[in-house]
Amino acid sequence: MAAKRVTIIGAGVAGLVAAYELERLGHQVVVLEGHPEVGGRIRTHRFVPGRPGPLVELGAMRIPATHHRTMGYLQALGLADRLREFTTLFQDEAAYVQTSRGHQRIRDASATLVEELRGRLPGAGGYSPQMLLFGAWMAVRVNALAPGDFRDAVGRGLDAELIGLVEGIDLDRYVRAPGHGELLDLRALFADHPQIRAGCRGRLYRFVDDIVNETGATLLRLAGGLDQLAHRLRERIRGPVHCGNEVTGLELGEREVRLRIRHGFGTRTRSCDYVLCTIPFTVLRALDLRGLDQEKLAAIADQRYWNATKVALHCREPFWAREGITGGGSFTGGLIRQTYYPPLEGDPELGAALLASYTIGQDADRLGTLSRPARIAAVLEELGAVHPELRRPGMVLAVADQVWGSEPSTRGAAAVRWGKDAEACEEERIRMARPQGRLFFAGEHCSSHPAWIEGAVESAQQAVREIHRYPAAALAADEPCEVGA
Ligand SMILES: Cc1cc2nc3c(=O)[nH]c(=O)nc-3n(C[C@H](O)[C@H](O)[C@H](O)COP(=O)(O)OP(=O)(O)OC[C@H]3O[C@@H](n4cnc5c(N)ncnc54)[C@H](O)[C@@H]3O)c2cc1C
């Protein structure tokens, strides 16, 4: 089969994986990236550049061990030995959760949370104490992890629906001893009973899947920063990766795709045999698009995205360790939602990173529309109530923040399919990924795992197969086309 010349728009995970795989199949690639750096929504911030100081992930930060495609590339790129367990929200029982009695330590909060659930759940007396414990902690997760609009929409009647997931399961063995806070070991529960996740229908379908990923699966992080994944991929690609080259227009012809590209103060046109477009549809729909059919334009216009914000602090020292918090996260509610305590990396003399606030959806819109000084002040004030050490002079050395909804290269954090059932999710995926002649599409929004690196990888592998086989007659259906690390 003759080598194809493929131009890839976007050097996020999808674009980089596609470039790597296309070259492995003998094709030639050129990657055009609008941002000065590769990686897209993988963005590692180093507070002390050039020295082994604290770092924080302003984009993706953890990988479920069950995401086999992503894990395969980490292995193939020699990064597997840097994988460490990611301690997530509610996993460190010394961290905090917001309850009707204020901020309580997670280990002390079960009684209050169950009491709150009893107050709002009709017929609560009909459930066992273990089921109520499960319902109470799942409701907290919904509150902590779901964005405001979704939280409100699913809130009504959700308690009973959530408790229904564990009907018939013996929960006794998952309740930890009262001395340990009477927490329910949700992680072990989800691991032992995959049917909880598989049995989710309707509005709970994608949502519980994501909650289980956040809670149930082993989550991993990459010591030294997740951007190593993007940089390693780039190193392995032989074709040019042109950063600072922003595509501003795209015209689909019968035998070519013409791109208009801005670089510095100049603009040029490039005529391409094949194009793989991996940029988010939020950005694509603002470009000058010609020759695409109405159905595709409608898909590009329709895809819904959520915002996300992160505000990270460079602290003089990890003061939270003195309170017994060794990792994981707190849910302090209010504007700032989730707080994470990243593990200490590098030279302790260079300080410690605190991911003070992580918000998505409407919560992110609210925080994102504030001016930067107002946003930082709001975060410090709210988190300062839980951690007064933040108010000590000289404790906060620097701030790094990212509002993904107003970042020009993404204009959103991730495509969302929550609230849709499995069939509707798959229909949407096919609509988003559908190619147009010699123009192909990839990116997390074209996958069955939106909002995850795994989705970007899955979509890239699928697009590579389609490009390799194009036109359909070029490769017999049973001829092998192996893609994947
Ligand atoms: C805050 C946040 C937290 C997340 N947490 C996790 C997590 O913990 N685990 C996980 O697995 N996933 C997480 N994700 C999702 C994950 O980061 C994404 O699914 C994945 O990185 C998307 O990759 P992509 O290649 O599809 O898109 P992108 O990474 O967005 O890549 C698209 C690329 O196209 C470029 N581009 C845009 N416009 C143009 C243009 N006009 N011309 C040229 N180039 C252009 C962009 O600069 C970008 O580099 C998170 C995302 C966010 C925002």
Side-chain angles (χ1 to χ4, degrees):
M1 171 171 295
K4 294 183 173 109
R5 290 184 307 173
V6 186
T7 303
I8 298 173
I9 315 176
V13 176
L16 293 170
V17 164
Y20 173 76
E21 292 296 348
L22 282 165
E23 284 189 346
R24 292 211 313 164
L25 289 170
H27 304 292
Q28 291 169 18
V29 301
V30 172
V31 184
L32 302 173
E33 166 57 53
H35 200 263
E37 297 280 341
V38 300
R41 280 169 274 176
I42 293 181
R43 195 166 288 182
T44 308
H45 180 82
R46 292 174 177 81
F47 281 110
V48 194
R51 296 183 66 192
L55 59 83
V56 70
E57 303 288 359
L58 293 175
M61 62 180 172
R62 65 283 197 235
I63 300 158
T66 49
H67 283 182
H68 299 300
R69 295 179 186 87
T70 312
M71 296 298 290
Y73 286 103
L74 289 165
Q75 184 83 42
L77 296 166
L79 291 168
D81 63 341
R82 298 191 192 174
L83 286 168
R84 308 276 184 277
E85 186 163 349
F86 178 91
T87 319
T88 195
L89 213 57
F90 305 128
Q91 236 175 298
D92 187 322
E93 296 175 9
Y96 294 88
V97 61
Q98 188 199 34
T99 72
S100 52
R101 296 187 182 185
H103 295 123
Q104 286 186 279
R105 298 278 195 162
I106 287 165
R107 60 173 172 253
D108 303 328
S110 288
T112 316
L113 294 173
V114 168
E115 192 182 295
E116 288 170 16
L117 176 62
R118 280 185 193 281
R120 63 173 189 264
L121 180 65
Y127 296 108
S128 69
Q130 294 88 334
M131 285 173 109
L132 290 175
L133 198 57
F134 173 80
W137 279 103
M138 280 300 276
V140 170
R141 277 169 171 75
V142 173
N143 200 8
L145 298 171
D149 39 358
F150 189 80
R151 230 169 25 236
D152 299 341
V154 299
R156 288 174 293 278
L158 187 73
D159 291 317
E161 228 171 298
L162 288 172
I163 292 176
L165 293 172
V166 288
E167 195 99 55
I169 296 177
D170 174 14
L171 295 177
D172 268 349
R173 48 196 281 239
Y174 302 104
V175 180
R176 295 189 197 142
H180 292 88
E182 265 197 344
L183 287 178
L184 202 64
D185 189 350
L186 285 177
R187 197 165 153 174
L189 173 67
F190 287 136
D192 291 350
H193 300 278
Q195 76 274 16
I196 298 178
R197 180 187 203 146
C200 283
R201 299 273 174 268
R203 62 190 184 161
L204 283 184
Y205 167 67
R206 270 231 62 83
F207 178 60
V208 167
D209 205 51
D210 277 343
I211 288 208
V212 174
N213 269 331
E214 297 263 359
T215 318
T218 299
L219 293 174
L220 300 164
R221 65 184 176 88
L222 201 57
L226 205 41
D227 62 352
Q228 295 168 96
L229 171 59
H231 292 141
R232 282 281 166 98
L233 279 165
R234 184 186 182 163
E235 283 161 23
R236 298 286 177 98
I237 297 166
R238 290 185 301 276
V241 179
H242 298 300
C243 287
N245 277 254
E246 182 193 354
V247 174
T248 56
L250 183 156
E251 184 175 357
L252 179 65
E254 205 162 303
R255 303 200 60 80
E256 61 164 14
V257 184
R258 286 162 69 82
L259 300 180
R260 209 165 59 240
I261 302 158
R262 184 159 51 212
H263 177 52
F265 294 111
T267 300
R268 66 192 158 95
T269 304
R270 180 184 167 90
S271 188
C272 315
D273 293 348
Y274 297 89
V275 167
L276 172 60
C277 176
T278 72
I279 67 183
F281 282 0
T282 38
V283 177
L284 186 62
R285 54 195 174 224
L287 265 51
D288 181 14
L289 301 177
R290 297 179 191 195
L292 279 71
D293 67 32
Q294 286 307 317
E295 216 180 302
K296 190 73 206 185
L297 288 171
I300 294 168
D302 288 350
Q303 178 62 66
R304 244 183 94 214
Y305 280 77
W306 274 340
N307 191 0
T309 64
K310 284 192 175 180
V311 179
L313 308 177
H314 180 194
C315 296
R316 193 180 56 209
E317 61 193 32
F319 58 80
W320 50 92
R322 283 198 298 273
E323 295 178 41
I325 300 174
T326 54
S330 291
F331 171 57
T332 49
L335 261 184
I336 65 174
R337 314 302 296 170
Q338 305 169 30
T339 299
Y340 289 85
Y341 310 92
L344 297 178
E345 282 196 41
D347 181 353
E349 291 292 311
L350 297 174
L354 176 66
L355 179 52
S357 168
Y358 177 22
T359 64
I360 60 170
Q362 272 180 352
D363 300 309
D365 291 340
R366 229 169 281 143
L367 211 51
T369 47
L370 297 179
S371 68
R372 187 167 189 262
R375 179 163 54 250
I376 294 169
V379 168
L380 286 174
E381 191 185 326
E382 212 178 295
L383 196 56
V386 187
H387 293 301
E389 291 87 343
L390 281 174
R391 297 181 176 149
R392 287 211 334 247
M395 178 56 82
V396 177
L397 304 173
V399 180
D401 63 336
Q402 183 75 49
V403 180
W404 287 98
S406 49
E407 157 65 44
S409 60
T410 54
R411 303 223 165 273
V416 273
R417 309 236 159 89
W418 279 3
K420 295 189 174 175
D421 64 18
E423 209 175 310
C425 285
E426 179 58 6
E427 269 170 25
E428 193 165 307
R429 184 196 68 76
I430 292 170
R431 235 181 120 219
M432 300 303 145
R434 186 173 66 86
Q436 295 264 273
R438 290 163 173 252
L439 171 61
F440 296 81
F441 295 89
E444 53 90 25
H445 51 289
C446 298
S447 78
S448 58
H449 290 85
W452 291 98
I453 292 171
E454 183 76 352
V457 174
E458 177 204 287
S459 70
Q461 293 179 345
Q462 179 59 25
V464 166
R465 281 186 210 101
E466 286 166 357
I467 294 169
H468 186 65
R469 290 179 186 280
Y470 183 90
L475 199 69
D478 56 354
E479 217 166 305
C481 163
E482 270 182 34
V483 177

